[in-house]
Amino acid sequence: QITLKESGPGLVKPAQTLTLTCNYSGFSLSSSGVGVGWIRQPPGKALEWLAYINWDGDRRYSPSLKSRLTITKDTSKNQVVLTMTNMDPVDTATYYCAHRLISTGSGWAIDYWGQGTLVTVSS
Amino acid sequence: DIQMTQSPSSLSASVGDRVTITCRASQSVGTYLHWYLQRPGTAPKLLIYAASSLQSGVPSRFSGSGSGTDFTLTINSLQPEDFATYYCQQTYSTPLTFGGGTKVEIK
């Protein structure tokens, strides 16, 4: 049974760095094809992909946010961490971590999502 | 970046109706197109992957079709639990991109 759960500070001040942790279970991020990613959703708005990291260490980032994002994995702890620097009120959103579907032709479709964590950026 | 455009942005329908949502990509994504349902306050749920493959556990009233730039999600016989927002996503290339969503409301 695959589960993912995000944790984070809830509230950050402008210009601060956000660190989000995704704790997962039910799969190994060392196994071929496996990936974990981050997606966010501002209140009342659409989904926005941020980054992913695959089993082989391949990392991809949203170009518009690339200079601010870092994604890392710690397979010994079953964790994926996303850091985002220089936070701004427009970054207020629910942040989801997600598991890549492994199936023919699925690309980077997402079959499991965490419950999401709301991050508010305000002074 | 590949832009994903969904239409309509919202629709009203009744239980039992057949509903069709379209998604258009700004360039070909092959069949790397997926559909999600999101109910208020919850995470999205995968319905269809690779344009037409039904995700395990998803009712057969959901179906997807298309390739290249034009795709459709069809819901046959709309059920009360289907009133939600639907998103398409392309994973042909990074950045992965989502459509703006289609909200299906009760008529």
Side-chain angles (χ1 to χ4, degrees), chain A residues 62-82:
Chain A
S62 170
S64 63
L65 295 167
K66 185 175 184 177
S67 64
R68 301 172 53 205
L69 294 174
T70 303
I71 189 169
T72 60
K73 61 182 172 82
D74 185 336
T75 53
S76 67
K77 295 182 180 178
N78 282 6
Q79 287 182 341
V80 171
V81 175
L82 182 75

Side-chain angles (χ1 to χ4, degrees), chain B residues 1-57:
Chain B
D1 300 7
I2 298 176
Q3 309 302 318
M4 308 302 294
T5 303
Q6 287 183 237
S7 60
S9 56
S10 66
L11 65 90
S12 295
S14 301
V15 172
D17 284 353
R18 183 184 190 198
V19 168
T20 299
I21 299 168
T22 65
C23 179
R24 175 164 289 177
S26 60
Q27 63 189 76
S28 177
V29 299
T31 56
Y32 289 98
L33 188 286
H34 323 294
W35 291 97
Y36 301 86
L37 167 160
Q38 185 178 33
R39 301 183 180 97
T42 68
K45 171 187 174 182
L46 180 65
L47 299 173
I48 301 287
Y49 67 92
S52 60
S53 296
L54 191 68
Q55 171 64 352
S56 176

Side-chain angles (χ1 to χ4, degrees), chain A:
Chain A
Q1 175 195 2
I2 290 175
T3 65
L4 306 102
K5 188 172 184 178
E6 309 87 349
S7 59
L11 178 66
V12 296
K13 290 180 168 39
Q16 286 187 337
T17 294
L18 171 68
T19 299
L20 294 172
T21 301
C22 176
N23 287 282
Y24 60 83
S25 64
F27 64 92
S28 170
L29 195 40
S30 300
S31 298
S32 179
V34 178
V36 172
W38 290 91
I39 296 92
R40 72 178 179 181
Q41 186 172 37
K45 295 188 177 181
L47 301 162
E48 179 185 15
W49 172 74
L50 301 177
Y52 69 62
I53 186 165
N54 288 335
W55 84 103
D56 58 358
D58 181 27
R59 296 170 172 84
R60 303 294 174 96
Y61 297 99
S62 170
S64 63
L65 295 167
K66 185 175 184 177
S67 64
R68 301 172 53 205
L69 294 174
T70 303
I71 189 169
T72 60
K73 61 182 172 82
D74 185 336
T75 53
S76 67
K77 295 182 180 178
N78 282 6
Q79 287 182 341
V80 171
V81 175
L82 182 75
T83 60
M84 180 180 292
T85 61
N86 194 25
M87 293 293 285
D88 183 272
V90 300
D91 297 313
T92 293
T94 295
Y95 287 75
Y96 294 100
C97 69
H99 173 271
R100 179 190 191 187
L101 170 68
I102 302 172
S103 185
T104 302
S106 61
W108 226 100
I110 297 166
D111 58 352
Y112 291 92
W113 299 68
Q115 63 189 22
T117 186
L118 177 61
V119 175
T120 301
V121 185
S122 174
S123 54

Side-chain angles (χ1 to χ4, degrees), chain B residues 58-107:
Chain B
V58 173
S60 59
R61 63 180 181 273
F62 292 94
S63 64
S65 65
S67 65
T69 60
D70 294 303
F71 301 87
T72 59
L73 173 71
T74 301
I75 311 170
N76 284 302
S77 188
L78 200 66
Q79 296 301 298
E81 60 268 29
D82 301 338
F83 292 95
T85 300
Y86 293 81
Y87 293 96
C88 60
Q89 177 206 26
Q90 70 79 22
T91 64
Y92 178 80
S93 65
T94 57
L96 310 183
T97 46
F98 291 88
T102 296
K103 187 173 184 179
V104 177
E105 299 175 301
I106 301 173
K107 183 182 286 184

